[in-house]
Amino acid sequence: MRKKVTLITGASGEVGTALVERLAAEGNRRILAMDVHPEPDNIKGMSTFLQADILDKNLFSRLVAEYEIETIYHLAALLSTRAEFTPETAHRVNVEGTMMLLQMAAEQSAWRGEPVLFMFPSSIAVYGLPDLDTKQRYSRVREWEWNYPTTMYGCNKLYGEMLGSYFNKNYRQLAAERPITLDFRSVRYPGLISAFTVPTGGTSDYASEMIHAAAQNKPYTCFVREGLTIPFMAMPDAVDSILDLANAPRENLRHQVYNVGAFSISAGDIRDLVVKAFPGTEVTFEPDLKRQNIAESWPIDVDDSAARRDWGWEPKFDAVRTFTEYLIPNIKKRYQ
Ligand code: AKB
């Protein structure tokens, strides 16, 4: 008898560790966590952990022989800055890895006679605003607007959304009898900020880097200009949003892919909140124009009215609450 599991890829990453912790605390499912990196200490013992590469073709045949995969949170990805240094590797991990998992999920769905739930975190990197005027004019973009990514990561995420929707709605559409296929759902995350981890490889990383540096009494040089504004979200809201969408009744969902927003903030405003929390903090701005251009192509904010209407999305943390109730107390404890 195969063991029923929820599979989490990219489990050692920022969202991955937070999600493993949350699902383990709920305690009502067996978690199979995997990552190419080792298991972080803070989630040890919470799952069956597999250090493995999602591009390993034999891995999935071994997995389905042992496990019945009910739900997949496919978090493994190379983020926007990292992907620009190794675009071919990014394409392999972000696209080919996703394709292999989707195929496996489709086969599992047909075999079980019940859809595998496939959760896919996407990103504001799927947007590409051509210039600052347009960015100002379309300050709250809707899901279908400005889907012209300028990065390999953004292209990969946009295609991942499309592939997932294809598997959900049209996979094997010409077969005499269309098999039961997967249930694909995706949230487009803004920049994420965690009190417990510092991201690597992203372009929105300056927010987290600034906060964690200040908490350690270290000066920070920000690689984007003070006025650059994009949407951000606190990690607990990021985990809530993907779980809320996973738990929403299928019949309420009019889309496969949803924007989720929390607050929109400039790098200068983040600096002000950081300085208020950690007086004496030294933050300077020395834009790296290439990285700044990437963040500049992302919208000021997202319109998440579809998520609010279809599955009741509502963030708990605005900018001030993110700092006062989530980041500052937890970060202070962490670096004490
Ligand atoms: C990145 O900066 O690449 C990510 C993202 C916005 O998806 N944090």
Side-chain angles (χ1 to χ4, degrees), residues 257-323:
V257 179
Y258 289 91
N259 279 342
V260 282
F263 56 92
S264 163
I265 191 166
S266 72
D269 287 341
I270 297 174
R271 185 262 330 269
D272 293 347
L273 286 166
V274 167
V275 170
K276 200 164 157 211
F278 303 99
T281 294
E282 233 184 89
V283 178
T284 45
F285 291 86
E286 271 179 36
D288 166 342
L289 292 184
K290 290 180 181 158
R291 276 184 101 185
Q292 174 171 290
N293 278 345
I294 291 178
E296 208 73 274
S297 75
W298 297 344
I300 290 178
D301 204 355
V302 291
D303 178 336
D304 60 1
S305 48
R308 288 172 189 261
R309 179 199 62 210
D310 287 3
W311 45 279
W313 164 244
E314 202 174 342
K316 294 195 182 71
F317 293 92
D318 60 15
V320 172
R321 235 188 122 196
T322 296
F323 273 79

Side-chain angles (χ1 to χ4, degrees), residues 37 58 69 90 100 106 168 252 287 303:
H37 301 292
N58 298 321
I69 298 169
M100 271 163 58
N168 195 140
N252 293 358
D303 178 336

